Amino acid sequence: DRVGNACSWYQGASLLETLDGLQAVERKINGPLRIPISEKYREMGTIVSGKIESGHIRVNQKIMIMPERRVCEISNIYGVNEAEEQSAISGDNVRIKLRGVDDDVVQNGFVIVDRKHPCHSTREFDALLVIREAKNIITAGFKSVLHVHTATEEIILSKLLHKVNNKNQRSRMPPPFVKQGEMCIVRIQTSKPICVERYSEFPQLGRFTLRDEGKTIAVGKILKLVDTNTVNAAN
């Protein structure tokens, strides 16, 4: 593991010791089902792929696709080695063959959920932004492209609500603008409903980036869903 006296000046842990000491990431196997769809195509039926961020699935399970609220059924599950599986759990990357839904109603960024525990879909939310790279000042009305989990959507910053300092203190009055290196709380409107969650409740669906002209303008996390739309368990 160690290389003798070659690095006698180093007193820290070795690479293998560091790897052995890492804590395994907790998988939310029994959490609400969340599978953001990263790809879809038609091959003797509708097939979608994505990573199971939470929950578990099994063959013949009834699921719902948000935000369309389309109820369908899992007919086949394929693992990373293209082997057909009977079930899969949180953390697995899978391809799923669906029964009862056409591929033209499924889009990248839609989320597969359990019918009894749907996710939120919204057109408006408040978020904490960190401005990473901006040539000019950013004001209300700024347009950009939102990237959240597997979804990509055009957005507009409808309001600048607060500026936030390094002590996490919010300004009382809305700022007229923000610039590179600053933090702020903003209200974001999307062109159509997207599936997101508050970062405090579900980080994988609550963190995002704003990009423009091939550059990452800002990174952020969702604090509050303003205009939400959920659905009760389907019959």
Side-chain angles (χ1 to χ4, degrees):
D1 293 3
R2 295 181 176 272
V3 292
N5 297 324
C7 299
S8 58
W9 50 268
Y10 179 70
Q11 302 299 321
S14 68
L15 173 60
L16 294 180
E17 289 170 344
T18 301
L19 293 176
D20 289 340
L22 294 177
Q23 296 293 324
V25 177
E26 181 182 357
R27 294 190 178 191
K28 298 181 179 180
I29 297 175
N30 297 316
L33 180 62
R34 299 288 186 270
I35 310 177
I37 295 174
S38 59
E39 185 182 8
K40 60 100 176 186
Y41 56 93
R42 186 171 187 83
E43 184 178 306
M44 302 295 290
T46 300
I47 295 180
V48 299
S49 61
K51 180 181 178 181
I52 306 176
E53 298 289 2
S54 175
H56 57 275
I57 57 174
R58 64 182 185 279
V59 173
N60 297 325
Q61 177 181 347
K62 287 189 177 295
I63 49 103
M64 184 164 60
I65 299 176
M66 291 290 288
E68 294 297 310
R69 308 181 186 179
R70 189 63 62 95
V71 177
C72 55
E73 189 174 295
I74 297 174
S75 61
N76 300 87
I77 301 172
Y78 303 95
V80 292
N81 295 322
E82 304 300 322
E84 190 167 344
E85 309 286 350
Q86 290 299 307
S87 62
I89 63 173
S90 176
D92 292 345
N93 288 282
V94 293
R95 291 192 304 122
I96 305 170
K97 190 172 184 179
L98 301 176
R99 183 188 301 123
V101 63
D102 293 330
D103 65 313
D104 58 354
V105 301
V106 180
Q107 296 182 16
N108 293 353
F110 284 9
V111 179
I112 294 175
V113 301
D114 182 81
R115 295 182 301 162
K116 295 181 179 180
H117 302 95
C119 65
H120 292 96
S121 65
T122 183
R123 290 177 181 265
E124 193 173 23
F125 57 87
D126 293 349
L128 174 66
L129 278 188
V130 178
I131 310 301
R132 298 288 302 274
E133 185 175 1
K135 295 180 180 178
N136 304 307
I137 61 174
I138 294 176
T139 63
F142 176 78
K143 295 181 180 181
S144 184
V145 178
L146 171 77
H147 295 260
V148 55
H149 53 86
T150 60
T152 303
E153 194 64 45
E154 294 183 352
I155 61 96
I156 182 172
L157 300 187
S158 59
K159 295 180 181 179
L160 302 182
L161 300 176
H162 305 281
K163 186 178 286 188
V164 181
N165 63 21
N166 293 332
K167 297 181 179 180
N168 206 30
Q169 297 172 331
R170 303 181 181 185
S171 63
R172 293 185 178 182
M173 300 296 293
F177 63 88
V178 290
K179 61 182 185 296
Q180 183 172 319
E182 293 184 336
M183 291 189 297
C184 58
I185 296 175
V186 300
R187 181 156 296 174
I188 293 177
Q189 291 181 342
T190 63
S191 56
K192 56 186 178 182
I194 59 171
C195 296
V196 293
E197 300 284 3
R198 286 180 286 271
Y199 179 84
S200 59
E201 297 177 353
F202 211 103
Q204 295 93 328
L205 272 67
R207 54 185 175 227
F208 62 90
T209 62
L210 297 182
R211 292 181 59 82
D212 185 44
E213 296 180 351
K215 296 181 179 179
T216 300
I217 303 300
V219 296
K221 60 182 181 180
I222 297 173
L223 304 177
K224 176 183 177 182
L225 304 177
V226 179
D227 175 26
T228 60
N229 189 9
T230 56
V231 62
N232 294 326
N235 295 326

